[in-house]
Amino acid sequence: MRIAELSQKTGVPVPTIKYYLREGLLPSGELTSPNQARYDDRHVQRLRLVRVLLDIGRLPIATIRELLTALDQPDPDVHSVLGSALPTTVTTRDAVDPASVVAAKVRVDGLVARRGWLVRSGAPARQATAEVLAAFEQVGADVADLLEQYADVAEQIAVHDLHFVGRASDAEGKLHAAVVGSILGDSLLAALRRLAQEHESAKMFGIRRDDC
Amino acid sequence: MRIAELSQKTGVPVPTIKYYLREGLLPSGELTSPNQARYDDRHVQRLRLVRVLLDIGRLPIATIRELLTALDQPDPDVHSVLGSALPTTVTTRDAVDPASVVAAKVRVDGLVARRGWLVRSGAPARQATAEVLAAFEQVGADVADLLEQYADVAEQIAVHDLHFVGRASDAEGKLHAAVVGSILGDSLLAALRRLAQEHESAKMFGIRRDDC
């Protein structure tokens, strides 16, 4: 198909597709003349993946390029992507005081060690967790209990996630599932959590079904 | 304290503080002369909360203003904030096809009904969940199992969250906990999930402790 049809199939405007091509997020089409290229279903799939990582995962372009490069390896290393290439969707920017993050990092390292989690000492998620803990403290919230409860829940989720990854038959499929599941999974969990919160809150504050 | 000291205490630049004042995210200080105002610890607290909602929750200014207005009510209605004012941190922008979202919404409504969740029919989280489901489908992932597993987990998390809210002694404290816990909780969960994923992945792919 030509670029106009690729645009129509995916709903992505032509100039945006050209931008992704320039940024290396989408492989070039097959040249049929000096200024015309042909695209196929793999481009459609890749374009949809890029939109998801960009618009829902809100990942930086450079990070997406790295993930896609990993996906395109002939024998992708699923664990190293799950363990290191996959970013958290957490960014605290400059909302937290660096000194509190350093203190919180010690707590996170303690949690990981106590639970026997096999996580590299330099894993970016350690830092991300520390930043969120520091943010909680900064607004005066004591999250000691919540941290342990959430860690219990995170263990269950990770088992489901790895099962989701393991269902794919080949390494490329596993890696695709890892990337999609990790990034979209954060959003799915956040949305379901909000639904379940409304339900628990309705129970706590005595809201009846008729009032819903 | 004067605005310079408020800036120093919170690490927020003076022009940014002035911007928050203009946007109504921060109450005015007490005027001590026509162009000088005095701020107190409540401004410090509020400023920290604004940064967290803005930089970590990535909420739009208008949404933050609504939440802060609710917080400042003399007798805040915690359930209505938990149920309706609190946004999900999920945004899919234009990454998903509207027709698939409509189809996914039917599945979400089915899930809520089957589980007997007390959630208003117009709750924004229903739409947010549908958007994420549609995004999963768009990249070719079958999440039927994952959806139920995540819903189970979301129920547990919501119980912890409401316990966190219920610990506060007065309505204002409860509301503060609801806002902070909901927004920061998404990030805490996402970060811990990534740690637990690395651990599960290490187990699945046979990584030993020495290799971490």
Side-chain angles (χ1 to χ4, degrees):
Chain A
M1 72 192 82
R2 282 152 70 165
I3 197 166
E5 199 187 333
L6 180 61
S7 164
Q8 208 193 333
K9 265 204 169 169
T10 56
V12 181
V14 170
T16 309
I17 296 179
K18 288 187 173 165
Y19 169 68
Y20 294 160
L21 285 165
R22 280 198 306 277
E23 287 290 334
L25 301 187
L26 195 66
S28 311
E30 188 195 343
L31 277 185
T32 53
S33 82
N35 21 344
Q36 205 153 77
R38 196 160 44 199
Y39 301 90
D40 58 27
D41 277 344
R42 291 184 62 96
H43 291 92
V44 174
Q45 301 302 332
R46 178 56 53 100
L47 204 44
R48 289 189 172 139
L49 181 60
V50 167
R51 292 298 270 194
V52 159
L53 299 179
L54 209 54
D55 281 353
I56 305 182
R58 292 190 272 193
L59 303 181
I61 297 269
T63 308
I64 297 178
R65 195 163 34 219
E66 274 172 45
L67 288 175
L68 297 177
T69 305
L71 261 179
D72 291 336
Q73 296 307 309
D75 186 18
D77 175 356
V78 182
H79 176 69
S80 79
V81 169
L82 263 172
S84 61
L86 261 191
T88 68
T89 48
V90 175
T91 51
T92 59
R93 285 185 263 177
D94 46 3
V96 283
D97 168 41
S100 345
V101 176
V102 172
K105 177 75 165 34
V106 176
R107 287 176 66 189
V108 173
D109 291 341
L111 175 99
V112 169
R114 219 164 47 241
R115 288 181 177 256
W117 284 353
L118 296 164
V119 172
R120 288 153 308 124
S121 59
R126 289 182 188 250
Q127 182 69 16
T129 311
E131 288 180 13
V132 183
L133 276 187
F136 264 113
E137 276 163 16
Q138 200 158 296
V139 293
D142 171 12
V143 286
D145 295 347
L146 211 60
L147 179 63
E148 294 300 328
Q149 290 159 346
Y150 273 33
D152 287 342
V153 167
E155 287 179 352
Q156 296 176 46
I157 299 168
V159 170
H160 297 317
D161 287 337
L162 268 288
H163 185 79
F164 179 73
V165 167
R167 276 193 335 194
S169 52
D170 57 6
E172 193 194 337
K174 283 186 173 43
L175 194 60
H176 187 270
V179 171
V180 164
S182 286
I183 302 301
L184 284 183
D186 285 344
S187 296
L188 183 60
L189 203 56
L192 286 169
R193 173 178 177 241
R194 207 63 93 243
L195 288 174
Q197 278 178 339
E198 182 169 338
H199 172 59
E200 278 303 316
S201 165
K203 288 199 298 182
M204 178 181 269
F205 294 99
I207 309 295
R208 289 166 314 134
R209 183 161 302 277
D210 305 345
D211 304 329
C212 278
Chain B
M1 71 193 82
R2 283 155 66 165
I3 196 164
E5 200 188 330
L6 180 60
S7 163
Q8 207 194 333
K9 263 204 170 170
T10 57
V12 180
V14 170
T16 309
I17 296 179
K18 289 188 172 167
Y19 169 69
Y20 295 160
L21 285 164
R22 281 198 306 278
E23 288 289 334
L25 302 186
L26 196 66
S28 312
E30 188 195 344
L31 278 184
T32 53
S33 82
N35 18 341
Q36 205 152 79
R38 194 161 45 198
Y39 301 90
D40 58 27
D41 276 345
R42 291 184 62 97
H43 291 92
V44 174
Q45 302 302 330
R46 179 57 53 100
L47 203 44
R48 287 186 173 143
L49 181 59
V50 167
R51 291 299 270 195
V52 159
L53 299 179
L54 209 55
D55 281 354
I56 306 181
R58 293 189 273 193
L59 302 182
I61 296 269
T63 308
I64 297 177
R65 193 161 38 216
E66 276 172 45
L67 288 174
L68 297 178
T69 305
L71 262 180
D72 291 334
Q73 296 306 308
D75 185 19
D77 175 356
V78 181
H79 176 69
S80 79
V81 170
L82 263 171
S84 60
L86 260 190
T88 67
T89 48
V90 175
T91 52
T92 59
R93 285 187 265 176
D94 45 2
V96 282
D97 169 39
S100 347
V101 176
V102 172
K105 178 74 165 37
V106 176
R107 287 175 67 188
V108 173
D109 291 340
L111 175 99
V112 169
R114 220 166 43 243
R115 289 181 176 256
W117 282 354
L118 295 165
V119 174
R120 287 152 311 123
S121 59
R126 289 182 188 249
Q127 183 69 18
T129 311
E131 287 181 13
V132 183
L133 276 187
F136 265 114
E137 278 163 15
Q138 201 160 296
V139 292
D142 172 12
V143 284
D145 294 346
L146 210 59
L147 179 63
E148 295 300 330
Q149 291 159 346
Y150 274 32
D152 286 343
V153 167
E155 287 179 353
Q156 297 176 46
I157 300 166
V159 170
H160 297 316
D161 287 338
L162 268 288
H163 185 78
F164 179 72
V165 168
R167 274 192 337 194
S169 53
D170 58 4
E172 194 195 336
K174 283 185 172 48
L175 196 60
H176 188 270
V179 170
V180 164
S182 285
I183 303 301
L184 284 183
D186 285 343
S187 296
L188 182 60
L189 202 56
L192 286 169
R193 175 179 177 240
R194 207 64 92 241
L195 288 173
Q197 279 179 339
E198 181 168 338
H199 172 58
E200 278 304 314
S201 166
K203 288 200 299 184
M204 178 182 268
F205 294 99
I207 310 295
R208 288 166 316 131
R209 184 162 301 278
D210 305 344
D211 304 329
C212 279

